[in-house]
Amino acid sequence: MTTTAKIWDQFHDNLYAFVLKRVHNEADTDDILQDVFIRIHQNLEKLKDEKKLESWVFQIARNATNDFFRKQKKISGEELPELEDQEVGFYGKQEMFCCLEPFVKELPEKYRRAIELSDLEGKKQTEVAEILGISHSGAKSRVQRGREILKEKFVECCHFTIDENGKLTGEQDCERCHPVH
């Protein structure tokens, strides 16, 4: 009979490395692992085939990590800058995104409000839909289109590029903040 303690002993180190590789923060990794082992403990009786234990455990870790990222306002596979902090996700310093606020303000109202609610205030798209009085799919479309417009603005003004995964890459070379004389 497999117990949570045995799973801890067998998988803790590998799960820690697995999660840390994705979140790059030891405190967050510890929090996620705590959640993983709570889920394992609560659902252990649902595991029918102990031969699938390892894949089951790592699937729980993947799900918990994805849940963590959803809570951290992940958009399109990339993290939005936390404007109240000087450090901004994996992008570097806040000044790298000096145009974010003006770009958001320049969005057409229906996209601006959806982006503000979803990505800047961290509301779920179902909440965005309710606040805006539109369907969930309508809110999702507005958020996605708003994000696309923002990406286009960063590419056009700041000379970022979009990689094969649709993420902004490169160094900011902003015409607004660093005009050529």
Side-chain angles (χ1 to χ4, degrees):
M1 174 76 186
T2 301
T3 66
T4 305
K6 287 180 183 176
I7 294 171
W8 174 272
D9 291 339
Q10 184 176 353
F11 294 105
H12 177 267
D13 292 343
N14 289 337
L15 285 172
Y16 186 88
F18 176 82
V19 174
L20 182 62
K21 182 179 176 182
R22 285 154 180 78
V23 300
H24 308 288
N25 180 293
E26 291 179 8
D28 290 337
T29 298
D30 289 337
D31 291 343
I32 292 168
L33 276 187
Q34 180 179 4
D35 183 45
V36 167
F37 280 98
I38 289 170
R39 292 179 189 191
I40 288 170
H41 182 74
Q42 291 174 336
N43 295 291
L44 190 54
E45 74 281 349
K46 294 179 184 176
L47 179 65
K48 304 291 185 219
D49 185 357
E50 287 199 30
K51 293 176 187 170
K52 297 180 181 181
L53 176 65
E54 184 173 5
S55 61
W56 180 74
V57 165
F58 277 90
Q59 185 60 49
I60 291 172
R62 271 189 291 282
N63 292 345
T65 303
N66 289 338
D67 292 346
F68 168 80
F69 283 131
R70 276 188 213 101
K71 291 176 186 173
Q72 298 300 315
K73 298 180 244 171
K74 292 300 278 181
I75 60 168
S76 302
E78 57 197 54
E79 195 169 3
L80 263 183
E82 296 293 324
L83 297 178
E84 64 273 6
D85 296 331
Q86 261 315 83
E87 290 296 327
V88 180
F90 56 82
Y91 286 119
K93 298 286 183 191
Q94 178 178 330
E95 58 264 18
M96 185 173 181
F97 286 94
C98 56
C99 293
L100 179 62
E101 188 176 344
F103 286 166
V104 170
K105 287 181 180 177
E106 291 172 6
L107 289 171
E109 173 65 21
K110 68 181 183 177
Y111 303 124
R112 181 186 56 76
R113 190 68 183 124
I115 289 292
E116 287 173 343
L117 291 168
S118 175
D119 296 334
L120 300 179
E121 295 178 23
K123 297 194 183 311
K124 294 181 180 179
Q125 289 184 3
T126 52
E127 294 173 289
V128 172
E130 188 176 306
I131 291 168
L132 297 178
I134 59 177
S135 68
H136 179 260
S137 63
K140 185 175 179 179
S141 293
R142 286 186 188 184
V143 169
Q144 288 174 341
R145 180 63 185 133
R147 290 173 183 163
E148 286 302 315
I149 294 169
L150 287 174
K151 278 185 186 180
E152 291 168 11
K153 288 180 177 287
F154 274 107
V155 169
E156 180 183 312
C157 177
C158 305
H159 305 287
F160 278 96
T161 58
I162 299 176
D163 69 12
E164 63 276 357
N165 298 317
K167 296 180 183 178
L168 290 173
T169 60
E171 296 294 320
Q172 186 175 22
D173 182 15
C174 181
E175 293 174 3
R176 283 184 174 188
C177 300
H178 311 300
V180 178
H181 290 75

